Amino acid sequence: MNTRQPLNPTLAEVGEREAINLIAAHAPSPRNGDDAAVLEHDAPNSQTVVSTDMLVQNRHFRLDWSTPAEIGKKAITQNFADVEAMGARPKAALLALSVPAHTRVQFVAELARGIGERVVEYGAELVGGDITDGDAVVISVTAVGQLGGSLPELCLDRARPGQHVVASGEIGASAAGLALLQRFGRDNIPEEFAPLVQSHCAAKVPPGRGFVARSAGVSSMTDNSDGLIVDTRNIARRSNVSINLFSDAIAPSELLYAAAELLQADPWEWVLQGGEDHTLIGTTTSAAPTGYRVIGRVDHRSEGEVLIDGKTPLFDGGWSSFATST
Amino acid sequence: MNTRQPLNPTLAEVGEREAINLIAAHAPSPRNGDDAAVLEHDAPNSQTVVSTDMLVQNRHFRLDWSTPAEIGKKAITQNFADVEAMGARPKAALLALSVPAHTRVQFVAELARGIGERVVEYGAELVGGDITDGDAVVISVTAVGQLGGSLPELCLDRARPGQHVVASGEIGASAAGLALLQRFGRDNIPEEFAPLVQSHCAAKVPPGRGFVARSAGVSSMTDNSDGLIVDTRNIARRSNVSINLFSDAIAPSELLYAAAELLQADPWEWVLQGGEDHTLIGTTTSAAPTGYRVIGRVDHRSEGEVLIDGKTPLFDGGWSSFATST
């Protein structure tokens, strides 16, 4: 049926303007709609924190594994996690979106709904964006946060010997979810593993965890996006320290063991090099802040090694955008 | 030759880390390298202005028409123009980049060089980004600017009857450059038209023009990105006014006429619906600010029509990301 107002129209049928209106309807903000968005500051001395991450179809998500709303949520979470990892509060997001012209408008609406729901959880807004024709779905989100008060931001290079290593959030769940999707596809995964699939398709980072950490004395922080060992090593190298993780504190959950048994996999691989959980990992001289647990210790000055119970980890790779030849 | 260190390696051969290092070397900033970048504010009451634009290969640029450095410059200009059009100063940029793994590292280095050169012209910095594997080159830039002082930002809805319409920059040059590229390709365009090609491949917006406009009493402003009529109509509609442009003031230059003669084209089409010049277009009750000229007048309350010498424009279309069926 090629009527003037199709029931399930494509972007080519409705055009750019209508697509923008739909996005703004699902993720509204009074700051949206001009050449650029103007953000107010909460406090006179607050600083602005910015970060960007890009999700490419079939590399960071698959349309047969994730709903459009989940993809939107994932895009926000992984960007806002970077802002939280500085100890800042996410306040705004920008969305640049490339989609094929034959894409259903409904896809864009659902993507925007997921984005809108997730930004609202943070008390943030989608304040602007761009939409353009392209061969694949490419989602680029920029997160803007605010860092108030006079405490320093949580940098990678501020781990100090003697500190606790603390973490907030699950480790390995996203990788387990991915492994299940790879084996079974979305619709044939045993129901008990739904939380792992959810972790992969629309990971959550509780709003305010970074702010709490900064207020409670955490000095360095990152989020587990590329793998626990890789991301922890990032702190270790930048701070010139050695970090020792406690195997008891990061051991796979029962659900991970169950999934591993089903898939004949080693759940430690998911824990150590899985990534995409966006677990916040920090170091502090004080006690673990609310919502955090101790998972290790900063040992001594070094070139930046990460050990587990004093030994070299069994798995220490992680996500990298391009395969390396060496 | 498949040696360990090839002369002209691909991203797959050197990996993500090396690509990031190269970008940072060509567009350095001390704020880069953590989960997110922290920006300081110049003045206690300054506000942050953010905007994003995405460039997709073969839609917004072609690798046989533009050098990688030109693509980088264009990506910065079109984003910074949006910040200037608010009356703000661009201070920082973020780059999210999708590129095929077989891309030469040299391409990324040159792209970053163009970005680095252009941001420095604005006294700004590339403060962060993301690079990922993808089938096509997709460049997503976010611009961050600062709006100091107590004057309001330059919104689309602040044109008032009786104001002058003012413009800074050429109109139609980018479209003429594109038409020449489409006919001749990059290498066979007569030398005299080099400025038009340059306008298309690496348009410039002089830094500070938006700031000057805001200081000098301009109330509404946009940049000509989608076409003169389309973008001016954006102001007219949002402000509920009618805008009348003066044909004398926007008439094609001699160079545009020469290019049009060669191509058997109508240069008024380039002027009226060309776009991508990023000319700043504003309205003001005062005289035209330094660097601006009067090109029309805000007439009366209306639904937002744009006329030329009181008549309907001969061409009034413009760029839109998806073809519409109606």
Side-chain angles (χ1 to χ4, degrees), chain A residues 93-114:
Chain A
L94 295 156
L95 168 69
L97 179 63
S98 152
V99 265
H102 61 73
T103 304
R104 300 285 158 190
V105 172
Q106 186 65 15
F107 171 83
V108 175
E110 282 295 300
L111 180 78
R113 188 174 64 78

Side-chain angles (χ1 to χ4, degrees), chain B residues 131-197:
Chain B
I131 184 166
T132 178
D133 194 8
D135 291 330
V137 179
V138 178
I139 301 165
S140 181
V141 168
T142 296
V144 185
Q146 280 192 14
L147 193 74
S150 54
L151 290 168
E153 65 270 27
L154 309 182
C155 291
L156 293 167
D157 60 3
R158 295 203 183 123
R160 297 289 175 265
Q163 286 186 321
H164 302 297
V165 178
V166 296
S168 174
E170 283 186 286
I171 302 172
S174 174
L178 174 60
L180 288 161
L181 286 163
Q182 285 169 331
R183 175 72 64 89
F184 297 109
R186 179 74 184 244
D187 296 330
N188 298 307
I189 297 173
E191 180 57 30
E192 61 183 302
F193 300 121
L196 303 179
V197 175

Side-chain angles (χ1 to χ4, degrees), chain B residues 251-290:
Chain B
S253 66
E254 281 187 29
L255 194 59
L256 284 198
Y257 270 111
E261 198 182 331
L262 180 68
L263 295 171
Q264 301 272 296
D266 186 336
W268 278 100
E269 187 177 340
W270 298 334
V271 166
L272 297 180
Q273 59 185 27
E276 289 201 306
D277 290 313
H278 303 294
T279 314
L280 295 175
I281 300 163
T283 67
T284 179
T285 308
S286 313
T290 305

Side-chain angles (χ1 to χ4, degrees), chain A residues 194-247:
Chain A
L196 303 179
V197 175
Q198 202 54 33
S199 287
H200 180 72
C201 294
K204 269 194 174 186
V205 173
R209 275 301 150 78
F211 177 85
V212 163
R214 179 163 163 258
S215 307
V218 168
S219 64
S220 76
M221 183 165 269
T222 193
D223 74 305
N224 164 20
S225 52
D226 294 337
L228 177 65
I229 301 298
V230 166
D231 288 313
T232 306
R233 196 157 52 206
N234 232 348
I235 291 182
R237 284 186 177 160
R238 293 287 290 277
S239 301
N240 293 307
V241 294
S242 166
I243 287 180
N244 187 38
L245 300 177
F246 308 147
S247 61

Side-chain angles (χ1 to χ4, degrees), chain B residues 231-254:
Chain B
D231 287 314
T232 307
R233 197 157 52 206
N234 232 346
I235 290 182
R237 284 186 177 161
R238 293 286 291 275
S239 300
N240 293 307
V241 294
S242 165
I243 287 180
N244 186 38
L245 300 177
F246 307 147
S247 61
D248 284 0
I250 57 171
S253 66
E254 281 187 29

